[in-house]
Amino acid sequence: MRGATLIGNGPEVLHKIEMVGDNLSHGQGMCGSVSGSIPANVGQPRIKIRDIVIGGR
């Protein structure tokens, strides 16, 4: 799925998580602003959410 937007309240969605996978993967990138850039990592396993609103084109 591409071009989708997840719509909702973050803390409410956290309460709707039903399952967390064991497939944690990491991605590397750069985080920066006018003051400069620093390396940053992000990562999350797959999760199953009971319900969430999806919008987009």
Side-chain angles (χ1 to χ4, degrees):
M1 180 181 302
R2 293 175 189 232
T5 303
L6 302 179
I7 302 167
N9 179 304
E12 288 178 11
V13 172
L14 291 174
H15 286 288
K16 296 178 180 181
I17 294 175
E18 293 184 339
M19 298 174 81
V20 177
D22 61 358
N23 60 337
L24 176 63
S25 62
H26 293 277
Q28 289 78 36
M30 297 296 284
C31 180
S33 69
V34 177
S35 61
S37 297
I38 59 170
N41 282 343
V42 296
Q44 176 178 319
R46 289 186 183 171
I47 58 175
K48 178 182 176 187
I49 299 173
R50 184 172 53 249
D51 63 269
I52 190 167
V53 177
I54 300 175
R57 300 182 211 184

